[in-house]
Amino acid sequence: MTETCRGLASGLRLDPGLVREAREDARAIVDEVLAYVREHTTTSMERAALRLAGVEEVDAEGTPLVNLVVDRLGDRLGHGASYWLFNAVAVTGREPEEVARAVAEGELDLGRLPAADPARVRQLGTGAARLAMEAIDARRRERDVMVERLGQSPSPWLYVIVATGNIYEDVVQARSAARMGADVIAVIRSTGQSLLDYVPHGATTEGYAGTYATQENFRIMRRALDEVSEELGRYVRQVNYASGLCMPEIAAMGALERLDMMLNDAMYGILFRDINPRRTLIDQYLSRRISARAGHIINTGEDNYLTTDDAFTAAHTVIASQFINEEFALRAGLAREQLGLGHAFQMDPDLPDGLLHEIAQAALVRALFPGCPIKFMPPTKYKTGNIFRAHLQDGLFNLVGVLTGQGIQLLGMPTEAIHTPFVSDRYLALENARYVMNNARHLGEEFLLRPDGRIARRAREVLERAVAMLRQIRDIGLWQALEEGMFAAVRRDRDGGKGLEGVVAREPDYYNPFLDELEGGRCGA
Amino acid sequence: MTETCRGLASGLRLDPGLVREAREDARAIVDEVLAYVREHTTTSMERAALRLAGVEEVDAEGTPLVNLVVDRLGDRLGHGASYWLFNAVAVTGREPEEVARAVAEGELDLGRLPAADPARVRQLGTGAARLAMEAIDARRRERDVMVERLGQSPSPWLYVIVATGNIYEDVVQARSAARMGADVIAVIRSTGQSLLDYVPHGATTEGYAGTYATQENFRIMRRALDEVSEELGRYVRQVNYASGLCMPEIAAMGALERLDMMLNDAMYGILFRDINPRRTLIDQYLSRRISARAGHIINTGEDNYLTTDDAFTAAHTVIASQFINEEFALRAGLAREQLGLGHAFQMDPDLPDGLLHEIAQAALVRALFPGCPIKFMPPTKYKTGNIFRAHLQDGLFNLVGVLTGQGIQLLGMPTEAIHTPFVSDRYLALENARYVMNNARHLGEEFLLRPDGRIARRAREVLERAVAMLRQIRDIGLWQALEEGMFAAVRRDRDGGKGLEGVVAREPDYYNPFLDELEGGRCGA
Amino acid sequence: MHEADPVVRPYGDRRDDGAVQVSFTLPVRAGELASEAARALMRKMGLASPQVVFSRDLGEGLTFFVGYGRCTHQVDLATLEVPRLQGEVMDFGAVNRFVRERLGRKVVVVGACTGTDAHTLGLDAILSMKGFAGDYGLERYPEFRVVNLGSQVPNETLVARAVEEGADAILVSQVVTMRDVHLANLTRLAELLEAEGVRERVVLIAGGPRISHELAVELGFDAGFGPGTTPSQVASFIVKELDRRRVTGFRDGR
Amino acid sequence: MHEADPVVRPYGDRRDDGAVQVSFTLPVRAGELASEAARALMRKMGLASPQVVFSRDLGEGLTFFVGYGRCTHQVDLATLEVPRLQGEVMDFGAVNRFVRERLGRKVVVVGACTGTDAHTLGLDAILSMKGFAGDYGLERYPEFRVVNLGSQVPNETLVARAVEEGADAILVSQVVTMRDVHLANLTRLAELLEAEGVRERVVLIAGGPRISHELAVELGFDAGFGPGTTPSQVASFIVKELDRRRVTGFRDGR
Ligand code: B12
Ligand code: B12
Ligand SMILES: Cc1ncc(COP(=O)(O)O)c(C=O)c1O
Ligand SMILES: Cc1ncc(COP(=O)(O)O)c(C=O)c1O
């Protein structure tokens, strides 16, 4: 991979000054947002803290206890749910989950309890946070050991989705996919889950075009993939989605259940789910802190821009956004090896020399973010019900993936325009990728790009436009950029969208021992 | 195309000394064969002469008059059927076709007629030959005018086969294909025709996995393609097969009916139809003389070697054979622009870096034969009933075709392993080619090959082995090489196979005004 | 071709050869039994000489098949009922003229992607300024007022808003169809409008890649628009339907 | 999976969802009528909720369709009869030992690609030294004598030669199947052997990519071998069949 990207990338002749400028602008843009983030919390951030404290259950109606506790706290949330929880633990001597259940049953009112000795509360909080960290660290070590013992595929890793809506059927499909060569299995979420302001509970069998992300579902799939990993002698990775109104909670669940990757984009929820920008930008920070600790590879969502905007004319918006996502990620403590920055193969198949443009973009992303795995998304927008041509589009996509040395290849499906994948579609997709990549494994090492060619010129032009865009965003700020529709051709008001009511200013005595542990004193600096 | 091949080919760093050596060896090999050819004729060569003299009909049983005449001549054939024919014309004053019919009906015995004034016979023969040349030249001009007026596609031309067995159904499929983008339509012959020692007559509707090559079928298809060419404003080419026991006759028919390409290989009939080597090597010479005059592009059949032998280990046999076919062709008066030398994309799809080897071979062929259109044949051998993967194999094939600047791309079919193409298979194949080639049109200009890379090294190695093989053939002679199974892993004895009985030594007074006109004094020199 | 003979059969490489390709997965491990099961299924589908040309074990006791056979069924075109939407599509200029001349007031349309569906591109293609395939969207029509509620709109919200805006037409997009969620969702909307007593007052339209006019009508809609729909087709339908109702007195007016 | 329930239906992304993909061409110009015809045909095939997901006019009044539907048919595995060739395949060593110990003489086989078929690779895979997929061909078996007549052999020639060589087994390859030419050809061979009175004296075997054991038996052959056949499978069958005939006295011997 390194040789490959050196090969093609060196021919691009990118201006290092421009790249430096891009990173400086991204830093300034993110600085402004993080200043805001540091002064606020959200309902989901607090619920995540409670989850890390061990509160996982639901009440009789199926409402998660963490939601009930946070809702009851109302105005008091600005002090941090952890403060109220550990105060109650200190006062009642009960475990966090018992406290939460008592609150849910109306038996306990956290705000009315006497204030315990602050040092005692902090001691309990810190103790719980350290336990949580240990649990996360243990899962991370578990992964390291398994990978070491079983090994893993060379990149690009083959990533497929399962989306039956039924976790047990998902397991069948995931095992079949793994046997046919999949390295990474993502369980797509049911439509609508990202707008739920709580995380559903238990094993679920009734999602639409996806399966609910629940902690129990995570466990069921983890167990199945571990079994099949052992059987195959190759570690098979599990993915879920930390976007939507519950970003930090799902990241926490993913950390506790040893998921390996999380979809996690700083702006996806804003742009594609119309979630309030403030809410999302606060939530993404904690969720990434958790993923950083858990050793998740995060996948960003710039690929989605090209479903609403045009891949040729909006190519630079992907690059600009990647610089921003990168900066947000680094500031949340993620290492470069954890950054699966997303982009996609979405040029109009009728575009003359479209493949050259795809290669230009893929090589550019590879060149700009060395050390990051990079997640390459397949053609979807221009797929039709012509499953034969669709299979071919995926073939060229796979070729570009291996040619340019992408890290994670999300496989396209011949039936993309028709339905969520059948088990046989996944077989065809995996066969496609294995065939093309095996056949072209070292192709990237064979060629030198002509520095004056169409590919190199296109890549340089896209970079220039991305840098100009970042400069502009730096001037007006990210909030304003979102309002002006600079990403994905979608406009989002900083005070519009869903979930703003969940944003709460932190009080001066805001207490969150989990965040403290995760930040280790380096608060997004 | 030129730019492209210069691009990739220059990186191959071929040794010009080796290439020169290859051509010298090919010349020596062909010299020996042509010395033999010049001393012999064949039944089919004589029948072709009669056809050029205007004898096209059949008797009541459907036996072509040319066969009846030649058969009746028996031993006398060594003087040339033309001598006997024009002697009869001189004596009886009848037209050639009437003479032939009279012979067929037993009414006339050519050998028993009085000998007319030799000058008169020659005058009649030369006159008839000149008329034939004019007819051929007129068809050639017709083509030139249509191409000039209607235009044609840039290379690679998209070439598809029709093979319904019924010429009228073939027409439907050919027109459909032309509308969907085909540049070249080949009507595949029925199984078995190549071993018939006569050419069937009239419109036919009952072939198996192909349609009989008859002069009437040629006309029917020509008319249909001319119509659709006018409609589309693009000249659509017609192809048939001049292999088998009737090579020169079919070439003559193709010349008279304005076919644009003829499959015509010096050795295909020997290797793949077990036709006697002497017979084939004589027949190919006249057939090529005719195609040279008619402006046919000939397509050689080295691609077939890779169906019986392995594409990786036998790659050099293709190159060696191309040098021989080239030399035979040039010596028969064909121009380089008429040489569609054949090769194929037939590596095992499971071969790691197989695509690199395909590129190496395709670039090598392009580099060795500049100015020749080059016909690239699709994967067939490793196709299975998995029509989805098959479509993808064709996609990579199309990519290599456009990347390396091939001239004529015979499109693969998703159902290659199942049946001769359905009308919808042809649609998918054409869509595949148009999509891939449009998307990658200028890809070949973007890259410089690394001279120390796998592709360049492989190409040089194949060339070295081809040159070594030619050297060996030069030493032992082509007859012996065929006996040792040096091509396609098939052994053929110079005195074995079908059709040897049709080989006749030319008498010192051998007379063939058609050959004379075609050679214009340059007899294979 | 069918002008001659209204009875048609599949055509592979020759008229009426019946050639059909199928692929499917069966819950049987690959092998002779599985292939025979595949052939048996093809026979039940009416495919004579069924051939399994490819099979692949997918693990988990599942096998994928590709097959070909000769279909013994035929279709008589003369017996088919094809519900057609309308005769003629007017262009941008003609639609606006039609509204000015025959309706004499602005047409109000309210659109939404309902339920949990967040695929807005299809609806935007019809409603947004930019439109689709070079054809302007309804927002650009001077004689239309467009309210685009965007994605994941509950049916209740849509109905309330339509009433509030005095909508002449409601445009619903449904793209996610897994487990027929779109059918349930569209049916619910029609019922809700009925219950609110406003069904008759609006032109009710559904659209999406798996929506056909036939299906929409079956679900109680006035029209359905599938893949490749252009805004002017939709605009033409709306204004003609409004005119028809005006003339026939179908709609009680406001 | 079927151990539990012998009745199976297609599986798309869930047990028994019946998902089937089809493609075919109809002689109708593309349009609503054509798509409805395609759906009607799919309904006749027993596909519920038929969807045309793609259609393309191919010119000449033909339209290509890709469709999906939910198959309403099911197959009961318990009712399927799968003609099986034999229990167990012996390897090279075992076959030769078997011949030496139980037959006590060399086995003579004559093979050919008959009619106009020139596809020799399949037959060569079985007969030649090299064999197929790492499995030696019959020529390499010390206890076999192989006469390979190659391509385009008339049935008459094959029969004459088999008699002349005193063949124990005749091996015919048929690859070209267009218009069922292979069926006609194989049937003719069986009849010819019958007419010559030698049918009982030989083990008669057909092979090729579209040949199944079932089909071969139907045509009057003793066995048929399809794609992926290895030489040792064929050798095992021949020697066991010869032994069976010896024991049961089926073959009159020479
Ligand atoms: C773009 C896209 C997205 C974008 C949507 C962006 C946006 N703002 O719309 C993003 C990336 C966000 C997305 C997300 C998801 N998607 Co999506 N997506 C697509 C994709 C690639 C293209 C759809 C599209 O926009 N087509 C272009 C438009 C213009 O075409 P159209 O919708 O057919 O519209 C035309 C006509 O149908 C008609 N029309 C449409 N609506 C209306 C309405 C009216 C009133 C009228 C008159 C006409 C009309 O006119 C339009 C113009 O001609 C398809 C795959 C494909 N190639 O089709 C999958 C697809 C639709 N998505 C799918 C799924 C499952 C999802 C997710 C649910 C996955 C998940 N679990 O996370 C998510 C969540 C979305 C949600 N909650 O609904 C599935 C649906 C499967 C099914 N049949 O149920 C598909 C088919 C992909 C797949 N094979 O899995 N998706
Ligand atoms: C190689 C090949 C050729 C070569 C043949 C070289 C040779 N010496 O054999 C050449 C290039 C010469 C050729 C020519 C033609 N071919 Co061809 N060819 C193929 C190809 C690509 C592969 C076939 C093959 O060799 N497979 C490898 C062998 C090992 O597999 P197999 O035959 O299945 O054999 C195995 C089993 O079936 C079994 N088996 C086979 N025979 C026997 C016999 C016995 C006794 C036993 C026990 C077992 C057995 O064991 C074998 C090992 O497992 C196929 C397409 C494809 N991918 O399948 C087309 C294909 C077979 N050819 C086809 C056609 C039409 C032709 C032509 C007639 C075209 C034409 N009109 O010019 C010509 C003429 C040939 C003729 N007169 O028969 C069609 C047949 C269509 C049909 N179903 O009717 C095919 C399917 C291509 C297509 N889609 O059009 N062909
Ligand atoms: C970053 C990111 N998050 C989430 C999703 C999935 O959507 P949802 O959050 O609605 O489940 C996507 C889309 O593929 C994505 O790219
Ligand atoms: C040169 C050449 N001639 C002829 C043929 C066709 O075979 P036949 O001559 O048997 O029709 C081929 C095969 O594709 C070929 O390559």
Side-chain angles (χ1 to χ4, degrees), chain A residues 208, chain C residues 155 180-189:
Chain A
Y208 288 104
Chain C
N155 279 320
D180 291 340
V181 62
H182 61 311
L183 303 184
N185 210 11
L186 292 172
T187 310
R188 208 136 16 88
L189 175 61

mmCIF file of all heavy atoms in Angstrom, chain A residues 208, chain C residues 155 180-189:
data_model
loop_
_atom_site.group_PDB
_atom_site.id
_atom_site.type_symbol
_atom_site.label_atom_id
_atom_site.label_comp_id
_atom_site.label_asym_id
_atom_site.label_seq_id
_atom_site.Cartn_x
_atom_site.Cartn_y
_atom_site.Cartn_z
ATOM 1 N N TYR A 208 -36.498 -1.685 9.445
ATOM 2 C CA TYR A 208 -36.767 -1.462 8.025
ATOM 3 C C TYR A 208 -35.486 -1.067 7.313
ATOM 4 O O TYR A 208 -34.903 -0.025 7.609
ATOM 5 C CB TYR A 208 -37.812 -0.374 7.835
ATOM 6 C CG TYR A 208 -39.172 -0.860 8.233
ATOM 7 C CD1 TYR A 208 -39.749 -0.475 9.431
ATOM 8 C CD2 TYR A 208 -39.865 -1.747 7.418
ATOM 9 C CE1 TYR A 208 -40.991 -0.952 9.809
ATOM 10 C CE2 TYR A 208 -41.106 -2.220 7.789
ATOM 11 C CZ TYR A 208 -41.665 -1.833 8.981
ATOM 12 O OH TYR A 208 -42.886 -2.312 9.347
ATOM 13 N N ASN C 155 -47.092 11.402 8.736
ATOM 14 C CA ASN C 155 -48.305 11.619 7.945
ATOM 15 C C ASN C 155 -49.190 12.692 8.570
ATOM 16 O O ASN C 155 -49.769 13.516 7.873
ATOM 17 C CB ASN C 155 -49.094 10.314 7.826
ATOM 18 C CG ASN C 155 -48.516 9.409 6.731
ATOM 19 O OD1 ASN C 155 -48.122 9.890 5.685
ATOM 20 N ND2 ASN C 155 -48.471 8.114 7.004
ATOM 21 N N ASP C 180 -42.206 -3.721 2.370
ATOM 22 C CA ASP C 180 -43.405 -2.997 1.958
ATOM 23 C C ASP C 180 -43.785 -1.867 2.895
ATOM 24 O O ASP C 180 -44.968 -1.526 3.036
ATOM 25 C CB ASP C 180 -44.581 -3.971 1.794
ATOM 26 C CG ASP C 180 -44.367 -4.882 0.591
ATOM 27 O OD1 ASP C 180 -43.558 -4.519 -0.301
ATOM 28 O OD2 ASP C 180 -44.989 -5.949 0.536
ATOM 29 N N VAL C 181 -42.788 -1.250 3.515
ATOM 30 C CA VAL C 181 -43.074 -0.147 4.430
ATOM 31 C C VAL C 181 -43.783 0.985 3.695
ATOM 32 O O VAL C 181 -44.619 1.691 4.266
ATOM 33 C CB VAL C 181 -41.778 0.328 5.138
ATOM 34 C CG1 VAL C 181 -40.770 0.851 4.135
ATOM 35 C CG2 VAL C 181 -42.074 1.388 6.186
ATOM 36 N N HIS C 182 -43.488 1.152 2.403
ATOM 37 C CA HIS C 182 -44.121 2.237 1.644
ATOM 38 C C HIS C 182 -45.623 2.015 1.475
ATOM 39 O O HIS C 182 -46.401 2.959 1.512
ATOM 40 C CB HIS C 182 -43.448 2.404 0.276
ATOM 41 C CG HIS C 182 -43.523 1.202 -0.613
ATOM 42 N ND1 HIS C 182 -43.186 -0.077 -0.199
ATOM 43 C CD2 HIS C 182 -43.897 1.071 -1.912
ATOM 44 C CE1 HIS C 182 -43.358 -0.922 -1.203
ATOM 45 N NE2 HIS C 182 -43.780 -0.247 -2.255
ATOM 46 N N LEU C 183 -46.018 0.757 1.318
ATOM 47 C CA LEU C 183 -47.438 0.467 1.133
ATOM 48 C C LEU C 183 -48.213 0.842 2.396
ATOM 49 O O LEU C 183 -49.233 1.539 2.343
ATOM 50 C CB LEU C 183 -47.653 -1.010 0.798
ATOM 51 C CG LEU C 183 -46.896 -1.531 -0.443
ATOM 52 C CD1 LEU C 183 -47.284 -2.973 -0.725
ATOM 53 C CD2 LEU C 183 -47.184 -0.649 -1.648
ATOM 54 N N ALA C 184 -47.705 0.390 3.523
ATOM 55 C CA ALA C 184 -48.349 0.696 4.794
ATOM 56 C C ALA C 184 -48.440 2.201 4.979
ATOM 57 O O ALA C 184 -49.488 2.751 5.354
ATOM 58 C CB ALA C 184 -47.551 0.065 5.934
ATOM 59 N N ASN C 185 -47.372 2.874 4.676
ATOM 60 C CA ASN C 185 -47.270 4.304 4.904
ATOM 61 C C ASN C 185 -48.232 5.096 4.015
ATOM 62 O O ASN C 185 -48.915 6.016 4.469
ATOM 63 C CB ASN C 185 -45.817 4.705 4.607
ATOM 64 C CG ASN C 185 -45.387 5.871 5.442
ATOM 65 O OD1 ASN C 185 -46.068 6.266 6.377
ATOM 66 N ND2 ASN C 185 -44.257 6.438 5.080
ATOM 67 N N LEU C 186 -48.282 4.732 2.750
ATOM 68 C CA LEU C 186 -49.165 5.439 1.818
ATOM 69 C C LEU C 186 -50.628 5.173 2.145
ATOM 70 O O LEU C 186 -51.469 6.079 2.103
ATOM 71 C CB LEU C 186 -48.845 5.028 0.374
ATOM 72 C CG LEU C 186 -47.477 5.480 -0.161
ATOM 73 C CD1 LEU C 186 -47.190 4.864 -1.528
ATOM 74 C CD2 LEU C 186 -47.403 7.008 -0.244
ATOM 75 N N THR C 187 -50.922 3.916 2.473
ATOM 76 C CA THR C 187 -52.301 3.575 2.837
ATOM 77 C C THR C 187 -52.754 4.405 4.028
ATOM 78 O O THR C 187 -53.850 4.961 4.062
ATOM 79 C CB THR C 187 -52.389 2.076 3.180
ATOM 80 O OG1 THR C 187 -51.784 1.331 2.127
ATOM 81 C CG2 THR C 187 -53.823 1.629 3.361
ATOM 82 N N ARG C 188 -51.859 4.499 5.010
ATOM 83 C CA ARG C 188 -52.198 5.271 6.204
ATOM 84 C C ARG C 188 -52.526 6.729 5.865
ATOM 85 O O ARG C 188 -53.460 7.325 6.395
ATOM 86 C CB ARG C 188 -51.062 5.196 7.225
ATOM 87 C CG ARG C 188 -51.528 5.355 8.633
ATOM 88 C CD ARG C 188 -50.923 4.391 9.665
ATOM 89 N NE ARG C 188 -49.733 3.692 9.217
ATOM 90 C CZ ARG C 188 -48.469 4.162 9.341
ATOM 91 N NH1 ARG C 188 -48.237 5.339 9.876
ATOM 92 N NH2 ARG C 188 -47.457 3.428 8.939
ATOM 93 N N LEU C 189 -51.762 7.293 4.953
ATOM 94 C CA LEU C 189 -51.984 8.687 4.579
ATOM 95 C C LEU C 189 -53.356 8.854 3.942
ATOM 96 O O LEU C 189 -54.118 9.767 4.296
ATOM 97 C CB LEU C 189 -50.897 9.170 3.608
ATOM 98 C CG LEU C 189 -51.099 10.587 3.055
ATOM 99 C CD1 LEU C 189 -51.106 11.623 4.177
ATOM 100 C CD2 LEU C 189 -50.028 10.919 2.024
#
